[in-house]
Every structure is written in structure tokens, then in C-alpha cells.
């Protein structure tokens, strides 16, 4: 029995829409890691839940003419079905709208309150007089107070990047009723996060986070921690705050507590000790897998809440990047905003599991789903290298040797080499370097195929007196196939199970102590995986276009992003394309992707933040000519204001090529 006791969670999907491929990066990453731990014999539990509270849930249910409870029950079924078919094997999948979560949220709140970490004060908010409810910032629209852009949200402008409060919006209206909001006072409750500044400074530097995350949190900590508004006014779908009638916990307070609630639900089912994992003195390992967009909540609010409530803090938080498709944000207009269900209707989910594994690392970089690369990797690696071994060898064993493997291991040194690789592969899995693990496994698959190619069993089968060698070679091939499948089992559980059935063996543990199958009967071979059909990828893209949602209620900037496939020539002619000389380029502190580039566009110099750091060093750029869009509205970013856009091409990463003008061009020349 393992001495490791591990509890793992993924971020809770919000219960107001379907699971899409961007979501699946996280759940597949987590599931692979959990399956690896279990295959190694460790005690490991994986829990999750639907995140079910908040104004969007309440409003969507109202729009559909059903109760919030009915909405979240329907979405729970859809989410769980999608996860199950993608092989994401939770030990428990629960809901934040549960009795366990209500009890635990109240417990944590009252402990924080009694310790003096909760305060209250009156604040002024926008109020919808028709719907009789306070409006979150994202439910107020109006004209930007800085640039005048219309149909902007109540907290920031998508046109110029300005941030502001809802009361600063011009011509503000409620996005729910269309009525002009009024100002109204209300008492709100706050979590005094600054009380935990010293504790968080120590915790965030204690090896619990990836280095790039620790660096980002250091910026936030140095800027001073603000009070966190943890209450919302009725009507609100959520849990009422103890001793505060009409006040409800903000969804982000009880959402992470949902991890605890789901595990408590599992404990009650299985007779497990809840405090062994969540008590202040717990020695169990606790890991959260999350997206980089919710680091603030998980790495500051969450450990502070737990510490203040006398509970244990996480062993580590693992953040990952976003998913792009064909090098761009997922787009409904291009058919690349793909739901899990649409994918499942056309392709094997294990294709995607393998592709994501081949792309994932321990860092927080974004990963790209490139359909051409996807097809090539699956066809070459899984079908061409791994499954092909079983296909090539099994027929001879069935027809010539009655389905019985050879009594001898023809190449003990080769078998031992496959076993010897296991510490390295295991370390890659453990440290979430899945891409490196896949490369090492495929290197072993190359060795297995090379062995078969050299021995040429198809020729041995035609020669007299070569029956034993044929038997040995094909048996060796199947023994190597068995080891490859064992290594790939965390990524491809269905392929592993079907291969185990074919090989007539029980479920395989980790590779370390395996011995070759000798004089062993196998079952009839059935095709384990087929090549990716390009027509099916095209069908997914087309089906995703057909699922395009109506965007009439979106702000205009969002409508353009969602549905604008093309622009007419008059729109294109508005672009001021200039040849620019790069005067200076610098690294941007705190950014993994951006360079700060100063360019001369003829009549002035501009500062542009460009995401080309993976391909260029600053010193390589100075003095070069490139193309820029000079009349792009300035964009306020966290690092400063970007005053244009440099044009580049390529699939990304190191393959980014700045578009350069012909020789003889000069800075400031317009491109027509």
C-alpha cells in the first residue's frame, strides 16, 4: 500500500453553458495526472463539481422559464456526460448548490467573522428599478466615459481599454431591462484580505506555485491587498449569509469551498476521514489544477480563507494556459468554438487526450490545437507507431501459433531497455511534463518498430525453417506493445483497456516490475484505433458554425468578434499601413510573451507591445523595418499603452515572422 494520500481537484465549470474544448485542457490534464498516480498504486482521489450560483444562473433560468434548480440539474447532467465520454474519471462530481457546501461555507465564514476578519460598510451601487435588483458591473452597458465608444460594459471599455466604475458610464442602461439604473445604498460584507499579507507572502514563496505565478503574485502583494466584497443583495441565487437576512455569499466565496463539499460528499459515501485531508494538521497532499485566469482567487483569497478558518492550505496549485485553435482564439464564426459534445459526435475522444498530452508542460503557456498537426500526430504516433505493432504481429500469432506467445523472450536486452525507461517517464508524468513523456514513449515505439522492420516477420513467414524465429519476433513485438500501452495508460485509458483484453491480461499497473508474457494465450485482435478522417474534422467545424448563437444582445465589439467572417473593401481601406523602423526593443517585466517595441512611423515614434518574445530577442529587432497598423486605437494594457500593431505571420512559438517591406523602403511610407 502506498504511503501517499492525495486529493486532487479541477476548477469548477460554471453551470450556464456547455463544456468546450478549452475547458477540456484542464480536465484532461488533471485526469492524466490522477490516473498516473493511481496506476503507481498511490491513494488518490479526484473530485470536482458544477459551480452553480450567481446572477448569470438566475437570469438564464428566468429567460428559459425554469427555476435555477432545474437549470443547474439539467446542465449537471450534460457536463457529467461530456466528462465521462472524454474519460475524465472523477471519484466524485458534485454541485456547489448542496447541503455540504452550505454548511462548510457558513462554517468558514463564521470562523473568519469571529476572528475579526469580516467587516461591513454601506456602498452605493447601480440598481435596476424595473427588475428591482442591484446590477453587477457586467450587466450595465453604456458609452465609455473616456473614448465615447457605445455598448460598453460597466467596468471596462473594449475599444480603448479604459477602466472605470459603472456610475461613470454615459447613457448607462441595464442589460437586463434596458432601463436607466439608479444609485442605491446597501450594506455589504468584506473579507479583510490584508490581514493575511504576511502569511500570503510566505505561502506564495513556499514552493506551492509555479515560478511565473509566484512572480505575478509578488506584484499584487507589493501593491497592497484590498478588502474583498463577499456579499450580494437579494434577489440572488446562492446561500444566505448567517445572521445577515437578504444578503448572499458572492459566488466566488462558496465556489472553491465546493472542492471541500464534493470531498465531504465522497467521505460520507465511502466512510473516509474528511479531517485527514482538510484538517489544519493534515499530512495528505492537496493539489488544485486551474486556469491562469483565476490565479488571484486560488492563490490569494483561497489560502487566506483556509488559514483564517483554521484549515489546511493547498500543497500546490498548478496553473495552465489557454487553448487556441489554429493559432487563434476560439471563434464561433470560424467554427472553432467547439463544444465537447460536437467533437464527440465525430471523433474519438482519445485522439484529443493524446494531442493535449503531447502539447502540455508544467508551465502556464497557452497551447494550440492545430487541426493539421492534430491529424498528423494521431495518425503517425498512435496509429502508425503504437497500434501498428499489434496489428503487424497479432495475425501471425493467431494463424501460425494458435494465439499462443513464444515461451522465450527473444530480445531480453531490448525488453529491459523499455523497463529501464520507466523512472524517466514517471518523473515526466509526476512533474506534469506530459509532452516530454509522450516524446520518450514514442521514442520507444520507434525502437519497437525498428526491431520489427529489421526482423521482417512477413519474410520469415515465407521461409522454411523460420517458424520459431517468426514466433519469437512477433511475440517480442507484442510484449513491447504491451509496455508502450502501459506507459500510455494514463492518457489513453480506453486503448489500454482494449489492449489488455486483446492480450488477455488484467489491468496493468506501472511498468517498473513487469516481466515478459511467455507461453501466454492472447485473444483475437480487433482494430484498436483508426486514422483521423479529415472529413470528420471538417464536419466538426461546420457543425460548430451551425451552432452559432444569436448575438443581438451582445455589445457591438463582441458581435464583431463572434460573427464577422469578412469585412468589405471600404473597411479594409481605412487601415493605415505604415513601414516602420524599429528603434528600440525591450523585455516586458512580468510578461512571458510581450516585447516593448519603439518604432518610427515617419512623422512620430510609437510604443507597441507585441507578443513575439518567443521568436525574437530585443537586440535582433533594432534597426529592422516592419509593417504596422498606425491608426489602431491605443489599447491600455497592464504594462502600459500600446499605440499600434506590428504585423507578423506564422503558427506561433518560435515560428513568428515579422512582415518586412522590400529593400528601398523608408520609415513612414504608407502601404497601398
Amino acid at each position: 500500500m502506498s504511503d501517499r494520500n492525495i486529493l486532487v481537484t479541477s476548477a469548477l465549470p460554471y453551470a450556464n453553458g456547455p463544456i468546450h474544448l478549452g475547458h477540456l485542457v484542464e480536465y484532461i490534464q488533471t485526469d492524466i495526472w490522477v490516473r498516473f498516480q493511481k496506476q503507481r498504486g498511490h491513494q488518490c482521489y479526484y473530485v470536482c463539481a458544477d459551480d452553480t450560483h450567481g446572477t448569470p444562473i438566475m437570469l438564464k433560468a428566468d429567460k428559459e422559464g425554469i427555476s435555477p434548480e432545474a437549470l443547474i440539474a439539467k446542465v449537471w447532467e450534460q457536463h457529467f456526460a461530456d466528462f465521462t465520454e472524454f474519460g475524465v474519471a472523477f471519484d466524485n462530481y458534485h454541485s456547489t448548490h448542496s447541503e455540504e457546501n452550505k454548511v462548510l461555507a457558513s462554517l468558514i465564514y463564521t470562523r473568519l467573522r469571529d476572528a475579526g476578519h469580516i467587516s461591513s460598510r454601506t456602498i452605493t451601487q447601480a440598481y435596476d428599478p424595473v427588475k428591482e435588483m442591484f446590477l453587477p458591473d457586467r450587466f450595465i452597458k453604456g458609452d465609455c466615459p473616456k473614448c465615447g465608444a457605445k455598448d460598453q460594459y460597466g467596468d471596462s471599455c473594449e475599444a480603448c481599454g479604459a477602466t472605470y466604475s459603472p456610475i461613470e458610464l454615459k447613457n448607462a442602461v441595464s442589460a437586463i431591462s434596458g432601463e436607466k439604473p439608479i444609485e442605491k445604498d446597501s450594506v455589504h460584507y468584506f473579507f479583510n484580505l490584508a490581514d493575511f499579507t504576511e502569511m500570503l507572502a510566505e505561502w506564495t514563496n513556499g514552493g506551492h506555485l509555479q515560478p511565473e505565478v509566484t512572480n505575478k503574485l509578488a506584484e499584487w502583494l507589493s501593491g497592497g491587498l484590498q478588502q474583498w466584497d463577499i456579499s450580494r443583495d437579494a434577489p440572488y441565487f446562492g446561500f444566505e449569509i448567517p445572521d445577515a437576512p437578504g444578503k448572499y455569499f458572492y459566488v466566488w466565496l462558496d465556489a472553491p469551498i465546493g472542492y471541500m463539499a464534493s470531498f465531504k460528499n465522497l467521505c460520507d459515501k465511502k466512510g473516509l476521514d474528511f479531517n485527514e485531508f482538510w484538517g489544519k494538521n493534515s499530512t495528505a497532499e492537496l493539489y488544485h489544477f486551474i486556469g491562469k485566469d483565476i490565479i488571484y482567487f486560488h492563490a490569494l483569497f483561497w489560502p487566506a480563507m483556509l488559514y483564517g478558518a483554521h484549515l489546511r492550505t493547498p500543497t500546490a496549485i498548478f496553473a495552465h494556459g489557454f487553448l487556441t485553435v489554429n493559432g487563434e482564439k476560439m471563434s464561433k464564426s470560424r467554427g472553432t468554438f467547439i463544444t465537447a459534445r460536437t467533437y464527440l459526435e465525430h471523433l474519438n475522444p482519445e485522439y484529443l487526450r493524446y494531442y493535449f498530452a503531447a502539447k502540455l508542460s508544467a508551465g502556464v503557456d497557452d497551447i494550440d490545437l492545430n487541426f493539421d498537426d492534430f491529424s498528423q500526430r494521431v495518425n503517425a504516433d498512435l496509429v502508425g507507431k503504437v497500434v501498428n505493432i499489434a496489428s503487424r504481429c497479432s495475425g501471425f500469432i493467431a494463424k501460425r501459433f494458435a494465439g499462443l506467445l513464444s515461451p522465450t523472450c527473444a530480445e531480453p536486452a531490448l525488453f529491459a531497455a523499455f523497463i529501464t525507461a520507466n523512472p524517466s517517464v514517471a518523473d515526466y508524468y509526476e512533474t506534469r511534463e506530459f509532452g516530454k513523456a509522450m516524446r520518450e514513449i514514442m521514442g520507444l515505439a520507434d525502437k519497437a518498430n525498428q526491431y520489427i522492420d529489421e526482423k521482417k516477420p512477413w519474410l520469415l513467414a515465407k521461409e522454411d525453417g523460420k517458424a520459431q524465429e517468426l514466433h519469437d519476433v512477433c511475440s517480442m513485438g507484442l510484449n513491447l506493445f504491451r509496455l508502450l500501452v502501459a506507459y500510455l495508460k494514463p492518457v489513453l485509458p480506453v486503448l489500454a483497456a482494449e489492449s489488455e483484453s486483446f492480450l488477455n491480461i488484467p489491468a496493468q499497473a506501472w511498468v517498473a516490475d513487469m516481466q515478459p508474457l511467455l507461453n501466454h494465450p492472447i485473444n483475437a485482435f480487433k482494430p484498436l484505433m483508426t486514422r483521423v478522417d479529415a472529413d470528420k474534422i471538417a464536419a466538426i467545424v461546420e457543425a460548430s458554425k451551425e451552432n452559432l448563437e444569436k448575438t443581438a444582445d451582445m455589445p457591438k465589439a463582441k458581435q464583431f468578434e463572434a460573427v464577422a467572417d469578412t469585412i468589405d473593401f471600404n473597411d479594409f481601406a481605412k487601415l493605415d499601413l505604415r513601414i516602420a523602423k524599429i528603434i528600440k526593443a525591450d523585455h516586458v517585466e512580468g510578461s512571458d510573451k510581450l516585447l516593448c517595441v519603439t518604432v518610427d512611423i515617419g512623422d512620430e515614434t510609437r510604443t507597441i507591445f507585441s507578443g513575439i518574445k518567443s521568436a525574437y530577442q530585443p537586440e535582433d529587432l533594432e534597426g529592422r523595418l516592419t509593417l504596422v497598423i498606425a491608426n489602431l486605437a491605443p489599447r491600455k494594457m497592464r504594462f502600459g499603452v500600446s499605440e499600434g500593431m506590428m504585423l507578423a505571420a506564422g503558427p506561433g512559438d518560435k515560428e513568428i515572422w515579422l512582415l518586412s517591406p522590400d529593400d528601398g523602403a523608408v520609415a513612414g511610407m504608407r502601404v497601398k
Side-chain angles (χ1 to χ4, degrees):
M1 177 65 70
S2 165
D3 59 355
R4 290 184 69 180
N5 234 4
I6 308 170
L7 176 58
V8 182
T9 75
S10 296
L12 314 185
Y14 202 45
N16 70 337
I19 301 299
H20 57 67
L21 299 195
H23 292 131
L24 285 170
V25 171
E26 179 170 311
Y27 302 98
I28 288 173
Q29 181 189 35
T30 316
D31 183 75
I32 290 170
W33 197 80
V34 168
R35 286 181 182 273
F36 165 72
Q37 301 298 344
K38 292 181 176 182
Q39 191 179 358
R40 297 273 280 176
H42 302 316
Q43 189 71 60
C44 185
Y45 300 101
Y46 179 20
V47 301
C48 195
D50 264 8
D51 182 7
T52 59
H53 289 156
T55 302
I57 300 289
M58 181 178 70
L59 295 176
K60 183 167 185 176
D62 183 60
K63 186 176 180 180
E64 293 188 14
I66 58 177
S67 68
E69 290 82 0
L71 172 67
I72 64 175
K74 178 180 70 172
V75 173
W76 188 97
E77 295 286 348
Q78 295 167 352
H79 284 183
F80 188 69
D82 289 347
F83 286 137
T84 299
E85 290 185 50
F86 267 98
V88 180
F90 303 111
D91 290 286
N92 199 53
Y93 192 73
H94 205 36
S95 168
T96 59
H97 194 64
S98 66
E99 187 61 28
E100 295 93 345
N101 205 34
K102 183 177 182 180
V103 169
L104 287 165
S106 296
L107 173 70
I108 288 174
Y109 170 80
T110 53
R111 286 184 178 181
L112 294 173
R113 179 198 64 192
D114 295 347
H117 301 304
I118 303 294
S119 59
S120 63
R121 68 174 186 270
T122 298
I123 64 173
T124 302
Q125 293 176 277
Y127 184 82
D128 187 324
V130 175
K131 286 292 186 177
E132 298 184 330
M133 61 179 290
F134 287 97
L135 293 167
D137 294 349
R138 301 297 278 181
F139 286 89
I140 305 170
K141 294 194 298 183
D143 302 345
C144 172
K146 304 291 170 53
C147 74
K150 298 184 180 302
D151 288 327
Q152 298 304 309
Y153 288 124
D155 55 357
S156 63
C157 176
E158 294 184 340
C160 73
T163 58
Y164 40 75
S165 69
I167 59 174
E168 295 178 86
L169 266 184
K170 298 177 181 177
N171 303 315
V173 296
S174 165
I176 304 169
S177 69
E179 187 71 17
K180 180 179 179 180
I182 62 173
E183 292 184 9
K184 189 172 181 179
D185 290 345
S186 176
V187 174
H188 271 232
Y189 291 78
F190 296 83
F191 175 46
N192 301 326
L193 187 62
D195 293 353
F196 300 91
T197 299
E198 186 176 334
M199 169 260 160
L200 288 170
E202 182 177 340
W203 188 85
T204 57
N205 285 281
H208 306 290
L209 305 166
Q210 294 132 301
E212 53 267 60
V213 174
T214 296
N215 293 338
K216 175 50 61 180
L217 291 174
E219 292 179 23
W220 289 331
L221 284 165
S222 65
L225 299 175
Q226 305 301 311
Q227 286 188 321
W228 180 35
D229 189 345
I230 60 168
S231 66
R232 294 296 184 268
D233 292 279
Y236 190 82
F237 185 58
F239 295 138
E240 200 166 28
I241 298 175
D243 67 27
K247 306 292 180 181
Y248 291 79
F249 287 129
Y250 173 44
V251 58
W252 261 110
L253 182 126
D254 68 65
I257 298 172
Y259 301 141
M260 302 174 69
S262 184
F263 186 66
K264 180 65 168 67
N265 183 258
L266 179 66
C267 289
D268 293 343
K269 292 175 183 176
K270 301 286 188 180
L272 303 175
D273 184 353
F274 178 81
N275 288 322
E276 184 181 348
F277 289 83
W278 287 101
K280 187 175 183 179
N281 298 317
S282 169
T283 58
E285 300 171 53
L286 172 62
Y287 301 103
H288 300 308
F289 285 74
I290 63 165
K292 63 183 179 181
D293 56 326
I294 53 175
I295 285 171
Y296 199 99
F297 291 100
H298 280 82
L300 291 179
F301 294 147
W302 181 229
M305 286 167 55
L306 290 168
Y307 185 84
H310 308 296
L311 297 164
R312 61 90 43 85
T313 53
T315 306
I317 295 173
F318 301 136
H320 61 83
F322 301 138
L323 177 71
T324 58
V325 179
N326 290 339
E328 299 179 335
K329 286 175 61 177
M330 290 194 297
S331 162
K332 291 179 179 178
S333 63
R334 296 184 182 91
T336 56
F337 190 94
I338 301 166
T339 67
R341 183 53 46 186
T342 299
Y343 178 99
L344 288 167
E345 288 170 353
H346 296 89
L347 287 176
N348 182 340
E350 297 218 320
Y351 294 164
L352 193 69
R353 287 180 65 98
Y354 176 73
Y355 189 74
F356 281 171
K359 290 274 194 170
L360 281 163
S361 70
V364 296
D365 294 332
D366 297 347
I367 68 171
D368 184 54
L369 168 56
N370 178 282
F371 287 134
D372 290 338
D373 183 44
F374 171 84
S375 300
Q376 191 276 331
R377 282 195 194 229
V378 171
N379 293 342
D381 292 358
L382 299 185
V383 181
K385 292 182 181 180
V386 178
V387 172
N388 191 45
I389 297 171
S391 177
R392 296 169 84 182
C393 297
S394 59
F396 294 116
I397 296 294
K399 294 173 185 176
R400 302 286 289 269
F401 307 105
L404 191 68
L405 297 180
S406 172
T408 60
C409 178
E411 301 285 344
L414 182 57
F415 188 89
F418 272 52
I419 298 293
T420 302
N422 94 80
S424 175
V425 177
D427 184 62
Y428 287 144
Y429 271 123
E430 179 70 40
T431 57
R432 307 177 322 286
E433 293 286 359
F434 297 162
K436 293 179 180 178
M438 296 308 101
R439 286 193 289 276
E440 184 149 346
I441 295 167
M442 289 306 142
L444 294 174
D446 287 336
K447 289 182 180 180
N449 281 288
Q450 183 180 1
Y451 166 76
I452 295 168
D453 289 341
E454 289 174 353
K455 296 298 182 180
K456 297 179 174 56
W458 55 92
L459 295 182
L460 293 174
K462 298 176 182 179
E463 297 182 33
D464 293 336
K466 296 289 187 178
Q468 186 58 53
E469 187 176 357
L470 175 66
H471 198 188
D472 290 345
V473 169
C474 291
S475 297
M476 188 68 203
L478 290 178
N479 269 294
L480 297 180
F481 167 75
R482 174 201 179 198
L483 297 179
L484 291 171
V485 169
Y487 279 130
L488 288 167
K489 188 172 182 176
V491 180
L492 305 171
V494 173
L495 176 67
E498 291 176 350
S499 299
E500 289 159 355
S501 177
F502 155 59
L503 293 169
N504 193 28
I505 56 175
Q508 298 195 95
W510 189 244
V511 176
D513 299 321
M514 283 189 185
Q515 300 298 319
L517 300 172
L518 303 177
N519 205 31
H520 174 83
I522 62 172
N523 294 316
F525 177 79
K526 298 176 183 177
L528 295 169
M529 192 170 277
T530 57
R531 294 174 64 83
V532 176
D533 185 341
D535 290 343
K536 291 188 176 180
I537 290 178
I540 288 174
V541 172
E542 191 59 34
S544 299
K545 288 180 180 176
E546 291 172 1
N547 290 337
L548 184 61
E549 296 175 356
K550 292 180 180 178
T551 56
D553 295 332
M554 285 188 185
K556 288 179 181 176
K558 283 291 184 184
Q559 289 183 33
F560 183 85
E561 176 185 313
V563 301
D565 251 343
T566 61
I567 60 174
D568 63 27
F569 182 79
N570 290 331
D571 287 327
F572 176 74
K574 295 176 184 177
L575 296 178
D576 181 3
L577 298 177
R578 301 267 194 104
I579 293 168
K581 182 177 182 179
I582 299 174
I583 301 171
K584 184 181 178 183
D586 293 301
H587 294 289
V588 177
E589 185 177 350
S591 174
D592 297 328
K593 296 185 177 182
L594 294 177
L595 292 179
C596 179
V597 184
T598 303
V599 297
D600 177 1
I601 61 171
D603 51 2
E604 62 177 304
T605 59
R606 297 276 187 87
T607 298
I608 297 174
F609 290 98
S610 183
I612 57 174
K613 186 174 180 178
S614 60
Y616 294 94
Q617 291 298 314
E619 58 270 21
D620 298 333
L621 294 173
E622 293 179 9
R624 289 186 57 167
L625 295 178
T626 188
L627 290 178
V628 301
I629 301 176
N631 63 337
L632 193 67
R635 183 185 177 196
K636 184 178 180 182
M637 304 178 71
R638 189 166 71 248
F639 311 102
V641 177
S642 186
E643 302 172 312
M645 177 182 290
M646 296 170 60
L647 299 184
D653 197 19
K654 296 186 182 299
E655 297 183 39
I656 299 174
W657 302 287
L658 289 180
L659 300 185
S660 300
D662 295 334
D663 290 341
V666 294
M669 184 181 293
R670 284 182 166 82
V671 179
K672 297 294 185 182

